[in-house]
């Protein structure tokens, strides 16, 4: 092997080493992104599930078994949350989800990551739904926040649930 | 030679690794795009649903509401809600074709207030209806558009006036409770507590205003169509509104505030034989007319009187007995069977349909045609301030027959149709055999009373 060939061979080995390192880096970063997005999609789905579950309930404890025609019948803004003795999953109205938190730790269906869910329910005015109302209205906003130690993003979803029925 | 070969091998491997690396980079990009898209669409959808909810509440509180919401900031996105509401007609409103941004397939004809027209034209809508789309009728349409990060999701809700005829059974209150052995078809509502004994069966959706009380043993009512409480539907309807829709009005021509009794006998050939009696006078001679020309809009109205009816209906009609402050008025009496020329259970395309509206009671008359016989009635029956059932003589007769009903019963209260032994078995009178006419879910007798609210025809997301 001549000196020139030796240099070419060494150069080739160096090049191969660099390519392998680069590919290794790509593999790791792709794996990380794939996991992050997978957890993100799961977090959005979890948040949507909570929203679907909450909106399947009565608007208020006062409307669970009867109809109301006055705002005064509704739960006080400071008392939003489960009534005495009500424990998830046996909530019966939308605002029972106020301050509800849940972790998937120990849930056999979530073996890839642990998700932490936190809920907040407030009254809102339809003309300014981003701002909590200090008085009772016919509209309640549920904000679901989903986080995970395995996920860099925090997923936040909100929905407004209003009192109505048409038969 | 060996150096060149090793170089070629290394270059070959490098090329392969670079292609694989590029594919992995694309995979990362697609995964992030997928997550971002899913998140964005979910947010936009939640915003749109929120808008639909808020608008539904506004219409629930005020049937005439059509203000909508423009450019509301919500949850990092923008909410627009447009409402087309023609419950009070279209006066002062303009017909436009509205197209949601970026969603031309969801265009919709809408009646909007004049003040809202400029903003609609500004975002690409145009005057007039969208081609091939109906825009009339007493309906309300909610179009809620949630936009987040450039993505717009649309929720479209169609509401219409809700007819009492859709109910298989409706009672303001129930003095006789559903019990084991009772089967109810069609939508069921009691505007009070729903009290059940044992295991009655409800095939349609059951609703109540105050809740469910389960009595007896087992406490196991079967709600195969679902059950919901907290639904308040008052039995309120101004029968005078029907008067304006009436084709023919029987009234006291003597102007002496006398009771007007009217016989309406339906004939299978599509004719109607009628006569009337005012106060203590005699019955007028019978006249037979073609039903479709006598009542082209399908409403026959008796003001301050009672209706005595029987026969075989060939056509579509609603008969109304209004009290009009006359004593003993506002009742409908069945002198015999009252059935359709074509039974819809045998002829699914049957157009025969009868609505009976009484301000007071609806009764099977105790007479030789009804005593000791099974009775057949096919109609949606509405007794605003009273009950529906046989006269006392038929309940106490020494005979146990059947009252076979095809249609619906809407009344202020229930009425017993038979007498029972101590075990709860009927021993005399008429056993109640009720079948719901499924056509009433989508079609109702002419001008039949509506509830005070809307019903959801469709909720498209």
């Amino acid at each position: 092997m001549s000196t020139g060939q030796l240099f070419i061979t060494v150069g080739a080995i160096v090049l191969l080493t660099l390519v392998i390192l680069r590919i290794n880096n790509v593999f790791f970063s792709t794996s990380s992104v794939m996991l992050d997005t997978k957890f993100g999609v799961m977090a959005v789905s979890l948040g949507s599930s909570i929203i679907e579950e909450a909106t399947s309930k009565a608007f208020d404890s006062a409307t669970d078994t009867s109809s109301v025609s006055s705002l005064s019948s509704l739960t006080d803004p400071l008392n939003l949350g489960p009534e005495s003795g009500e424990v998830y999953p046996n909530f019966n109205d939308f605002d029972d989800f106020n301050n509800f938190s849940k972790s998937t730790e120990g849930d056999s269906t979530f073996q890839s990551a642990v998700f932490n869910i936190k809920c907040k329910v407030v009254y809102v005015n339809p003309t300014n739904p981003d701002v909590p109302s200090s008085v009772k209205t016919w509209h309640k906003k549920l904000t679901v926040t989903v986080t995970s130690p395995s996920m860099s993003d925090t997923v936040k979803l909100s929905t407004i649930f209003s009192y109505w029925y048409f038969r | 030679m060996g150096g060149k070969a090793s170089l070629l091998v290394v270059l070959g491997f490098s090329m392969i690794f670079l292609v694989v690396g590029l594919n992995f980079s694309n995979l990362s990009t697609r995964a992030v795009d997928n997550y971002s898209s899913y998140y964005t669409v979910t947010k936009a959808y939640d915003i749109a649903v929120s808008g639909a909810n808020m608008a539904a509440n506004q219409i629930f509180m005020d049937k005439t509401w059509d203000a909508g919401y423009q450019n509301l900031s919500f949850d990092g996105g923008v909410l627009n809600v447009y409402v087309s509401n023609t419950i009070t007609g279209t006066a002062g409103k303009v017909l436009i074709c509205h197209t949601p941004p970026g969603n031309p397939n969801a265009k919709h004809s809408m009646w909007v207030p004049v003040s809202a027209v400029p903003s609609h034209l500004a975002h690409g809508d145009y005057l007039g209806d969208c081609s091939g789309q109906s825009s009339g009728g007493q309906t309300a349409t909610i179009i809620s558009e949630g936009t987040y990060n450039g993505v717009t999701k649309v929720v479209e809700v169609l509401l219409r006036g809700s007819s009492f005829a859709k109910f298989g059974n409706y009672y303001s209150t129930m003095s006789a409770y559903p019990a084991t052995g009772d089967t109810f078809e069609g939508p069921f509502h009691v505007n009070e507590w729903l009290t059940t004994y044992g295991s009655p069966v409800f095939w349609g959706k059951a609703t109540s205003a105050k809740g469910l009380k389960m009595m007896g043993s087992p406490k196991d009512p079967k709600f195969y169509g679902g059950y919901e409480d907290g639904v308040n539907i008052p039995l309120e309807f101004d029968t005078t509104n029907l008067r304006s829709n009436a084709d023919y009005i029987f009234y006291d021509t003597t102007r002496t505030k006398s009771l007007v009794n009217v016989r309406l006998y339906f004939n299978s050939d599509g004719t109607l034989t009628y006569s009337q009696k005012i106060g203590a006078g005699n019955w007028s001679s019978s006249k037979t007319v073609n039903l479709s020309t006598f009542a082209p809009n399908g409403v026959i109205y008796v003001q301050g009187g009672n209706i005595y009816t029987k026969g075989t209906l060939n056509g579509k009609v609603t008969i109304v007995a209004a009290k009009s402050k006359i004593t003993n008025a506002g009742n409908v009496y069945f002198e015999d069977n009252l059935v359709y020329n074509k039974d819809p259970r045998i002829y699914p395309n049957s157009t025969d349909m009868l609505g009976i509206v009484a301000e007071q009671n609806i009764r099977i008359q105790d007479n030789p045609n009804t005593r000791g016989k099974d009775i057949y009635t096919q109609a949606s029956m509405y007794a605003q301030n009273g009950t529906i059932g046989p006269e006392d003589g038929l309940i106490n007769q020494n005979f146990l027959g059947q009252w076979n009903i095809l249609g619906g019963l809407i009344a202020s209260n229930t009425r017993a149709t038979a007498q029972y032994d101590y075990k709860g078995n009927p021993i005399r009178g008429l056993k109640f055999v009720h079948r719901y006419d499924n056509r009433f879910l989508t079609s109702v007798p002419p001008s039949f009373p509506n509830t005070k609210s809307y019903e959801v025809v469709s909720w498209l997301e």
Side-chain angles (χ1 to χ4, degrees):
Chain A
M1 185 180 285
S2 67
T3 307
Q5 286 177 326
L6 180 65
F7 277 121
I8 290 172
T9 304
V10 170
I13 290 170
V14 169
L15 179 64
L16 182 61
T17 304
L18 290 174
V19 168
I20 288 171
L21 285 173
R22 170 68 187 151
I23 289 300
N24 204 40
N25 190 31
V26 167
F27 281 2
F28 280 124
S29 66
T30 299
S31 177
S32 172
V33 167
M34 293 288 286
L35 280 174
D36 213 33
T37 54
K38 175 186 170 184
F39 297 148
V41 168
M42 288 175 77
V44 173
S45 299
L46 272 171
S48 294
S49 298
I50 293 290
I51 284 174
E52 292 288 336
E53 186 177 4
T55 53
S56 71
K57 310 294 183 187
F59 175 74
D60 192 275
S61 59
T63 67
D64 180 29
T65 56
S66 62
S67 58
V68 298
S69 56
S70 168
L71 288 171
S72 61
S73 307
L74 300 179
T75 304
D76 191 87
L78 299 175
N79 295 332
L80 293 174
E83 283 68 43
S84 177
E86 286 180 353
V87 179
Y88 183 82
N90 299 318
F91 289 165
N92 64 349
D93 65 270
F94 186 77
D95 66 65
D96 288 347
F97 284 83
N98 188 34
N99 295 327
F100 169 69
S101 61
K102 179 183 175 185
S103 171
T104 63
E105 192 168 10
D107 188 336
S108 60
T109 58
F110 287 92
Q111 293 185 343
S112 53
V114 172
F115 293 93
N116 299 304
I117 303 163
K118 289 184 179 177
C119 300
K120 185 73 184 170
V121 179
V122 294
Y123 283 108
V124 293
N125 194 305
T127 56
N128 194 2
D130 272 337
V131 178
S133 168
S134 58
V135 297
K136 300 172 189 176
T137 70
W138 295 116
H139 315 276
K140 291 172 183 172
K141 182 174 76 170
L142 166 66
T143 302
V144 182
T145 306
V146 186
T147 58
S148 172
S150 312
M151 189 173 70
S152 54
D153 291 332
T154 293
V155 169
K156 200 165 93 169
L157 300 173
S158 294
T159 193
I160 294 173
F161 191 50
S162 306
Y163 178 60
W164 58 270
Y165 57 82
F166 295 115
R167 279 284 286 144
Chain B
M1 184 65 197
K4 286 181 181 176
S6 63
L7 183 62
L8 286 173
V9 169
V10 166
L11 286 175
F13 273 108
S14 298
M15 285 299 295
I16 291 168
F17 282 134
L18 284 172
V19 170
V20 170
L22 189 64
N23 283 341
F24 268 79
S25 293
N26 289 339
L27 192 63
S28 297
T29 305
R30 289 202 304 272
V32 171
D33 284 348
N34 181 49
Y35 166 42
S36 173
S37 170
Y38 182 48
Y39 179 70
T40 301
V41 167
T42 302
K43 294 277 276 189
Y45 165 79
D46 286 340
I47 294 169
V49 169
S50 298
N53 257 298
M54 292 194 298
N57 166 265
Q58 296 282 12
I59 292 175
F60 175 68
M61 296 295 171
D62 174 12
K63 284 179 80 171
T64 63
W65 186 81
D66 63 359
Y69 301 112
Q70 278 73 51
N71 295 317
L72 276 184
S73 292
F74 176 57
D75 199 26
V78 177
L79 173 63
N80 281 290
V81 178
Y82 305 103
V83 178
S84 172
N85 194 337
T86 58
I87 189 68
T88 55
T90 55
K93 296 180 181 179
V94 178
L95 181 62
I96 61 157
C97 180
H98 170 76
T99 306
N103 201 341
N105 292 331
K107 67 180 181 180
H108 207 286
S109 300
M110 303 181 72
W111 289 93
V112 298
V114 174
S115 58
V117 172
S119 64
H120 276 282
L121 298 180
H123 64 236
D125 298 349
Y126 57 85
L127 299 176
D129 63 355
C130 307
S131 57
Q133 263 198 24
S134 158
S135 56
Q138 289 201 327
T139 59
T141 305
I142 299 168
I143 295 179
S144 178
E145 299 167 3
T147 304
Y148 184 82
N149 202 18
V151 173
T152 299
K153 294 294 287 182
V154 181
V155 173
E156 182 186 316
V157 185
L158 179 61
L159 307 168
R160 73 174 175 200
S162 175
S163 174
F164 278 107
K166 72 182 177 195
F167 289 106
N169 289 266
Y170 171 105
Y171 304 102
S172 291
T173 185
M174 295 184 79
S175 55
Y177 304 127
T180 301
D182 290 339
T183 299
F184 298 91
E185 293 185 351
F188 181 103
H189 179 77
V190 56
N191 217 41
E192 248 284 347
W193 290 97
L194 172 55
T195 304
T196 62
Y197 276 85
S199 304
V201 175
F202 300 84
W203 283 106
K205 183 172 183 179
T207 53
S208 75
K210 293 189 175 178
L212 178 65
K213 287 182 180 176
M214 293 181 287
M215 315 283 279
S217 179
K219 295 181 173 67
D220 189 25
K222 306 292 186 185
F223 294 111
Y224 293 122
Y227 170 74
E228 181 182 355
D229 45 30
V231 178
N232 181 38
I233 309 172
L235 189 63
E236 293 174 7
F237 174 74
D238 183 0
T239 54
T240 57
N241 291 337
L242 264 173
R243 197 180 187 283
S244 58
N245 297 331
D247 299 291
Y248 196 93
I249 300 171
F250 293 93
Y251 65 100
D252 175 18
T253 53
T254 64
R255 300 183 183 277
T256 55
K257 295 185 178 178
S258 299
L259 182 70
V260 179
N261 286 324
V262 178
R263 287 174 176 158
L264 298 176
Y265 298 161
F266 295 99
N267 307 310
S268 61
D269 60 357
T271 60
L272 167 73
T273 302
Y274 71 89
S275 61
Q276 65 177 329
K277 175 177 176 235
I278 299 175
N282 297 320
W283 284 99
S284 66
S285 56
S286 296
K287 285 185 181 177
T288 299
V289 293
N290 192 307
L291 185 59
S292 60
T293 52
F294 183 74
N297 292 319
V299 181
I300 301 171
Y301 190 93
V302 176
Q303 180 177 302
N306 300 312
I307 294 173
Y308 295 81
T309 186
K310 64 180 181 180
T312 302
L313 173 67
N314 184 339
K316 196 171 182 177
V317 69
T318 295
I319 58 176
V320 187
K323 186 172 173 63
S324 304
K325 299 179 182 176
I326 303 295
T327 305
N328 297 326
N331 303 292
V332 174
Y333 296 93
F334 301 135
E335 293 184 351
D336 201 342
N337 294 332
L338 181 54
V339 296
Y340 298 135
N341 183 50
K342 288 191 173 179
D343 187 325
R345 292 168 296 185
I346 302 168
Y347 303 96
N349 295 324
S350 170
T351 55
D352 301 335
M353 190 174 280
L354 176 61
I356 298 171
V357 179
E359 203 163 337
Q360 294 304 116
N361 299 301
I362 297 175
R363 291 284 180 269
I364 305 173
Q365 195 181 48
D366 180 13
N367 65 33
N369 290 326
T370 58
R371 181 166 278 269
K373 294 176 182 173
D374 291 341
I375 306 297
Y376 294 85
T377 306
Q378 298 182 344
S380 184
M381 296 173 271
Y382 176 103
Q384 181 161 302
N385 299 309
T387 59
I388 301 171
E391 287 189 325
D392 290 347
L394 292 180
I395 298 173
N396 301 323
Q397 66 180 321
N398 193 20
F399 168 80
L400 179 61
Q402 287 188 344
W403 184 20
N404 300 284
I405 300 168
L406 175 70
L409 294 93
I410 302 103
S412 178
N413 201 345
T414 50
R415 177 177 171 85
T417 59
Q419 289 191 355
Y420 296 83
D421 63 14
Y422 70 97
K423 292 181 180 176
N425 299 312
I427 52 174
R428 61 174 64 92
L430 294 171
K431 284 191 291 185
F432 191 75
V433 182
H434 176 210
R435 293 287 176 267
Y436 179 63
D437 188 339
N438 285 308
R439 296 178 304 164
F440 291 145
L441 288 172
T442 53
S443 175
V444 297
S447 301
F448 205 83
N450 276 355
T451 70
K452 286 202 155 188
S453 187
Y454 284 117
E455 63 181 344
V456 177
V457 178
S458 62
W459 182 292
L460 303 174
E461 298 180 346

